[in-house]
Amino acid sequence: MTRLLLLLLLMPVSHLSAQNADTAYNKAVKFYFAKQYDSSFTYCHLARTMVKGNERHAICEILSTIHFERGAYDSSLHYITLADKKYPYQHFCGNEKESRQLFIAMRYAAIYDHYGDSAQVLKVLLPVACFDLVNNGDAVRKIASLLKDKEGIKAALDDAIAHMYVKKKVHYIRFMDTVIPVDMEEGIVDSHFYKALADGME
């Protein structure tokens, strides 16, 4: 623990004003993008106890990234889980929501890849397979690589599409024991996801 972080953590709560919170958050982000991870790490740990909402979500994402880059995968998983479950990203824009969900899914997948857990990689990537507002090509390619040696994939996907259902105005399919939000059927069969799985998987 750095001396600065220790002093900040010992600072009385009464001195942790909104201005302190904004300053800590801004410095955490600034140092992160400058790849000065030690400094970012220090300010992240100060800011995350004071900021709320999307700022707390962002701090957890940054901490997950720093730990991941350092090879501390258990800690990286802890913080991305906080960002995903406890401090979910809130936004009215569909592009922004899909972007954050895709980032989180890819981080989970990268961590589980290091654990050698292909089943979990597939489980976390499938829910973002049919996103159409962001570029999810890396996720789709990873899914296809994990399923390339399995038989009956196209038939299973076609069956899932045939049994599509609607819940709260959102269409879903259940494929590989995973619930996946999708567009209407016409959109699915034209999607990169469908074509990637159908290619050579008859």
Side-chain angles (χ1 to χ4, degrees):
M1 182 179 294
T2 66
R3 185 172 181 273
L4 174 59
L5 178 56
L6 180 60
L7 290 173
L8 290 172
L9 291 176
L10 293 175
M11 186 184 298
V13 174
S14 60
H15 290 119
L16 301 180
S17 66
Q19 185 176 3
N20 294 140
D22 289 341
T23 298
Y25 175 78
N26 291 334
K27 287 187 175 181
V29 173
K30 175 185 175 181
F31 286 126
Y32 168 71
F33 282 112
K35 297 189 181 298
Q36 297 178 29
Y37 289 158
D38 287 344
S39 296
S40 180
F41 187 85
T42 296
Y43 283 104
C44 277
H45 276 288
L46 175 62
R48 78 184 188 95
T49 63
M50 299 186 293
V51 297
K52 297 180 180 179
N54 286 345
E55 289 185 344
R56 184 170 288 188
H57 171 90
I59 288 295
C60 288
E61 282 193 355
I62 291 173
L63 285 169
S64 177
T65 299
I66 293 172
H67 282 294
F68 185 85
E69 292 295 328
R70 292 174 170 175
Y73 302 117
D74 287 353
S75 295
S76 182
L77 179 60
H78 169 73
Y79 283 109
I80 202 63
T81 302
L82 286 179
D84 181 25
K85 305 296 185 184
K86 191 170 183 178
Y87 311 119
Y89 186 72
Q90 303 294 327
H91 205 281
F92 63 88
C93 176
N95 296 61
E96 284 291 325
K97 288 180 180 178
E98 286 196 1
S99 178
R100 297 321 320 142
Q101 290 170 1
L102 179 61
F103 174 87
I104 288 172
M106 294 300 290
R107 172 54 46 74
Y108 276 132
I111 293 168
Y112 290 129
D113 238 356
H114 279 279
Y115 290 156
D117 193 340
S118 297
Q120 278 297 109
V121 173
L122 190 61
K123 184 176 180 179
V124 297
L125 291 182
L126 279 172
V128 302
C130 291
F131 280 6
D132 62 351
L133 298 177
V134 293
N135 182 355
N136 65 347
D138 288 343
V140 170
R141 284 187 287 274
K142 183 64 175 179
I143 292 168
S145 72
L146 291 172
L147 296 178
K148 66 180 180 180
D149 295 325
K150 295 185 180 293
E151 296 182 358
I153 293 300
K154 183 177 183 297
L157 183 55
D158 286 338
D159 183 66
I161 293 171
H163 292 89
M164 183 188 304
Y165 63 95
V166 181
K167 185 176 181 181
K168 294 183 179 179
K169 299 182 180 181
V170 179
H171 292 76
Y172 297 92
I173 61 172
R174 187 171 187 85
F175 174 70
M176 302 292 293
D177 293 322
T178 304
V179 174
I180 306 173
V182 298
D183 289 329
M184 295 299 290
E185 179 179 352
E186 295 80 4
I188 302 173
V189 296
D190 289 331
S191 70
H192 180 46
F193 172 62
Y194 184 89
K195 292 174 181 177
L197 267 62
D199 184 24
M201 295 185 183
E202 297 289 346

